[in-house]
Amino acid sequence: RGGPALMSIADLPGELERQAGLSAGVFATVDVPGPLAIQPEVLYVQKNVMSSEAAFLPGGRGSVAISRDIETSYVEVPVLGKLQVPGVPVVTPTVAFGPVVGANVQSSRSVIATDRLGNERDLSPDQPPLEANGVEAGLLTGIGVEMDIGGAAVSASGRYRLGLTDVSSGGESNLDLGPSRGFSVTAGIAF
């Protein structure tokens, strides 16, 4: 299963711009009686976001634009309950919902200041590294379709991920970020 992910992070100062990341991994579908199934997954998910804001220089010397680029990556384990809507020819619509727990495997930030003339200054070396919390918990919901093609089950889904825990809680990085949330579109194949 894989596809693009567009995430945002709450409490990041300034105007937010989602940056495309990747969501990719493996899954299994365990059918239970009736139209239900359980779908555990192991996914690698990139959650990247950029914020920008104006900052005023001391002494009335004008302003600069500050842009922050936050990049985090997680190995996530969602366990989804999936309703497979019966009776539709060719394709099977699905609705999924369940908890997701992720372990942070990478986190970084860069900070760039741009003056009115377009001159850029990298402020990242002066900033302590981003200290992301080691574990993130959330909920995942999605809708999708499945179909059998030559003995393989092909699926596509749109998903919304809602973080329930903060990405970081300050520390030496002095950046207290709220939960992440966002959308992903995935396609997968099962044998």
Side-chain angles (χ1 to χ4, degrees), residues 5-168:
L6 291 172
M7 308 301 285
S8 68
I9 299 174
D11 302 331
L12 187 60
E15 183 179 322
L16 297 182
E17 178 184 327
R18 294 178 176 168
Q19 303 291 305
L22 172 70
S23 175
V26 296
F27 69 99
T29 301
V30 180
D31 288 320
V32 295
L36 298 177
I38 298 171
Q39 185 167 301
E41 302 180 356
V42 178
L43 301 172
Y44 172 78
V45 181
Q46 295 174 324
K47 301 176 181 182
N48 306 329
V49 66
M50 181 180 283
S51 74
S52 57
E53 65 181 329
F56 293 96
L57 298 172
R61 297 186 326 219
S63 65
V64 294
I66 302 291
S67 63
R68 292 178 185 84
D69 191 7
I70 306 292
E71 295 181 0
T72 58
S73 298
Y74 292 83
V75 172
E76 294 190 340
V77 179
V79 179
L80 304 175
K82 187 166 71 170
L83 172 64
Q84 301 166 331
V85 181
V88 179
V90 182
V91 299
T92 303
T94 62
V95 178
F97 181 82
V100 58
V101 175
N104 180 267
V105 293
Q106 182 272 333
S107 59
S108 66
R109 73 168 165 180
S110 64
V111 182
I112 305 290
T114 307
D115 66 18
R116 292 177 294 178
L117 300 175
N119 299 316
E120 292 185 352
R121 180 174 171 217
D122 186 358
L123 304 178
S124 303
D126 302 330
Q127 306 289 320
L130 175 64
E131 296 176 23
N133 292 332
V135 176
E136 182 183 62
L139 297 172
L140 193 144
T141 185
I143 58 172
V145 294
E146 297 176 348
M147 71 177 95
D148 288 328
I149 299 176
V154 177
S155 65
S157 67
R159 298 171 165 204
Y160 178 74
R161 187 180 276 105
L162 174 66
L164 299 176
T165 57
D166 291 346
V167 171
S168 72

